[in-house]
Amino acid sequence: KQEVTQIPAALSVPEGENLVLNCSFTDSAIYNLQWFRQDPGKGLTSLLLIQSSQREQTSGRLNASLDKSSGRSTLYIAASQPGDSATYLCAVEYGNKLVFGAGTILRVKS
Amino acid sequence: ETGVTQSPTHLIKTRGQQVTLRCSSQSGHNTVSWYQQALGQGPQFIFQYYREEENGRGNFPPRFSGLQFPNYSSELNVNALELDDSALYLCASSSGGYSSRHTDTQYFGPGTRLTVL
């Protein structure tokens, strides 16, 4: 069964901290892995997409890594800001569908 | 270039009723996928449509059905609504699909919040 797990479920940090969100998946036959941001009651905003042949992707203060063999990905957020407060979702693409984790709820305190 | 749009934004129905949700795909995209997101959970894949045909389905009962139109917009229909159908329904569009077994990046709409009383 294709499952995606995200740890921690929730995280509260002071502004300025660097933080790491974790994602693990059971089936390593992936096409790609994507990290999304979701604000309360809203749709999904794509942050980073890592192809299965890649090891990492960077965008601004965000860096995502992928270790397909161990079934793990991490999202690193540098110098966190209150505006980063949201739910972060990891999604693994298998064929024509995305399998999502339950998300990590991030709160950055000012 | 317009993004993915969904209508309505919010909807309230009662148990046993039927509902239709709509999605307009991003310009140039021929594939639409639907996801259900219950409160506190990640989205779950319902099904995908590619060039007006169903191209994969998740673990949802037959009372969840869909359509894709020649302009690649799509509808999600749910019959005999149950309380557990209350969720945010997300539509995503992409290019590719059946011919490649894998679609390009999926772009999500803002969702429709369905409440079943």
Side-chain angles (χ1 to χ4, degrees):
Chain A
K1 187 178 178 185
Q2 295 160 339
E3 294 182 341
V4 178
T5 303
Q6 291 187 244
I7 295 173
L11 187 60
S12 181
V13 300
E15 182 177 5
E17 270 205 9
N18 302 322
L19 55 98
V20 175
L21 307 182
N22 297 290
C23 171
S24 61
F25 46 95
T26 54
D27 183 351
S28 61
I30 71 172
Y31 279 103
N32 59 49
L33 183 144
Q34 199 164 1
W35 283 92
F36 290 90
R37 170 187 172 136
Q38 185 174 35
D39 293 295
K42 304 293 185 183
L44 306 181
T45 300
S46 178
L47 298 173
L48 290 165
L49 183 148
I50 313 175
Q51 301 286 352
S52 62
S53 58
Q54 297 175 320
R55 297 285 293 185
E56 66 177 334
Q57 281 286 340
T58 298
S59 176
R61 294 183 294 110
L62 306 179
N63 175 275
S65 67
L66 173 64
D67 184 342
K68 209 171 86 163
S69 61
S70 67
R72 296 178 189 277
S73 175
T74 60
L75 177 66
Y76 176 82
I77 302 177
S80 58
Q81 302 170 358
D84 295 331
S85 298
T87 297
Y88 290 79
L89 292 160
C90 169
V92 179
E93 182 178 344
Y94 295 105
N96 62 351
K97 69 179 180 184
L98 294 175
V99 178
F100 285 83
T104 293
I105 302 171
L106 174 64
R107 180 185 172 211
V108 181
K109 299 171 287 187
S110 56
Chain B
E1 178 181 279
T2 56
V4 180
T5 60
Q6 293 186 242
S7 63
T9 306
H10 296 89
L11 201 53
I12 299 175
K13 292 284 188 178
T14 56
R15 240 177 351 171
Q17 285 189 310
Q18 178 266 344
V19 68
T20 297
L21 310 182
R22 295 178 175 82
C23 171
S24 292
S25 58
Q26 189 165 308
S27 176
H29 287 177
N30 55 17
T31 303
V32 173
S33 304
W34 286 92
Y35 293 82
Q36 179 196 66
Q37 186 179 22
L39 199 61
Q41 299 181 25
Q44 300 283 321
F45 176 70
I46 302 174
F47 43 55
Q48 182 182 86
Y49 277 82
Y50 170 71
R51 294 189 174 180
E52 303 178 58
E53 293 191 2
E54 189 177 288
N55 179 39
R57 187 181 184 92
N59 189 27
F60 281 81
R63 59 189 185 84
F64 286 77
S65 64
L67 282 173
Q68 188 179 31
F69 300 99
N71 66 354
Y72 303 129
S73 65
S74 177
E75 287 182 353
L76 165 65
N77 300 290
V78 186
N79 294 322
L81 284 167
E82 300 177 359
L83 297 179
D84 285 348
D85 295 334
S86 295
L88 181 68
Y89 287 84
L90 296 163
C91 163
S93 77
S94 57
S95 56
Y98 185 78
S99 62
S100 65
R101 290 173 48 230
H102 145 73
T103 65
D104 292 333
T105 302
Q106 297 188 25
Y107 294 86
F108 282 81
T112 293
R113 172 72 62 186
L114 172 65
T115 301
V116 182
L117 302 176

